[in-house]
Amino acid sequence: MHVPQFSLATQSVLALHAEGYTSGVVVDIGAGHAAVVPVLEGKLIPYALEPMLWTGEDLTRQLLLSLRKHGFSEHLHTHWDIANHIKETQCSVDPEPGDGHYTLPDQTEITLSPSQRSLPMTLLHGPNSIPKSFSRSVGKLGDELREELSRHLVLAGGTTDCPGFREHLLRALGGEVGQEGLTRAESGRLRSWVGGSVLASLSSFSRISVLRSEYLESGAGLINRRCRMEDGSDDFYGLYGFSGS
């Protein structure tokens, strides 16, 4: 594969770029990781990063196990993608009575129970909830920096697309976020991809990227030197508190 230019960036930084910011706080609920991530001028603030217990995959797995337990296993032959889509379209932090009907690809209609539909509430209540994690994260910052970064709160990851998720989180955080509050975009799932496009289009991109010719001449060490993170770490997964395996 011929790649003319290459750089590294975390999902959280890219999510901010997608919204036109370089500083803010990102609630990043990815498939295999979840964290509250403060970012200043395009750099993570490692000491204030707060990993969270529940990831997007954990919620999808819990929903899938519940659906199988209720007898839908024979209809879930492509189970993971289906369960993930059900989670993001039918599950809500504040489900409306009478909803929860979903038509599977084979045209079988299932009805989710109230507990299945309210699955995202797991992220918003308890000692490991997003609001608690947010408070712990920004509490590690100085007063001025906390006020500055809290003006821009961005959600990333498909799980944040669940109906009502954004509105409920903003209410739960209350006065901890600035007047601009929670950024509302069309899709948390695609935000990092959009941010990558934005980052690559900036005139400053050349300073944090490696040309193919430079790589061929200097080797992989050049990537480590030019694209490394704020704290000097090249271990993106380790910074989130997860294994890269």
Side-chain angles (χ1 to χ4, degrees), residues 13-167:
V13 170
L14 294 178
L16 274 172
H17 277 293
E19 302 304 321
Y21 306 131
T22 57
S23 299
V25 181
V26 181
V27 174
D28 188 358
I29 308 177
H33 70 269
V36 177
V37 187
V39 179
L40 179 64
E41 296 301 327
K43 301 292 185 180
L44 305 188
I45 304 178
Y47 66 84
L49 187 148
E50 187 71 27
M52 291 186 290
L53 180 64
W54 286 87
T55 69
E57 277 189 357
D58 292 329
L59 293 183
T60 301
R61 185 177 296 109
Q62 184 172 335
L63 176 61
L64 181 59
L65 291 173
S66 179
L67 291 171
R68 286 175 170 171
K69 182 179 178 180
H70 287 80
F72 297 119
S73 58
E74 67 272 19
H75 301 293
L76 298 175
H77 50 281
T78 54
H79 54 274
W80 190 265
D81 287 342
I82 294 175
N84 203 53
H85 189 258
I86 293 173
K87 177 191 72 176
E88 294 177 8
T89 59
Q90 300 299 318
C91 295
S92 171
V93 297
D94 190 18
E96 294 289 336
D99 289 345
H101 302 292
Y102 186 87
T103 302
L104 298 170
D106 63 0
Q107 301 306 306
T108 300
E109 186 173 285
I110 64 174
T111 301
L112 276 65
S113 68
S115 62
Q116 290 169 338
R117 294 170 55 211
S118 61
L119 188 62
M121 289 295 288
T122 306
L123 298 172
L124 297 169
H125 294 283
N128 294 309
S129 68
I130 294 174
K132 294 290 187 182
S133 297
F134 181 90
S135 296
R136 287 193 293 267
S137 176
V138 300
K140 300 172 186 177
L141 306 172
D143 291 343
E144 290 186 7
L145 186 56
R146 178 169 63 249
E147 182 178 352
E148 176 186 351
L149 299 189
S150 296
R151 292 190 188 120
H152 300 139
L153 177 59
V154 174
L155 300 184
T159 299
T160 65
D161 290 333
C162 292
F165 187 92
R166 300 157 193 260
E167 292 79 8

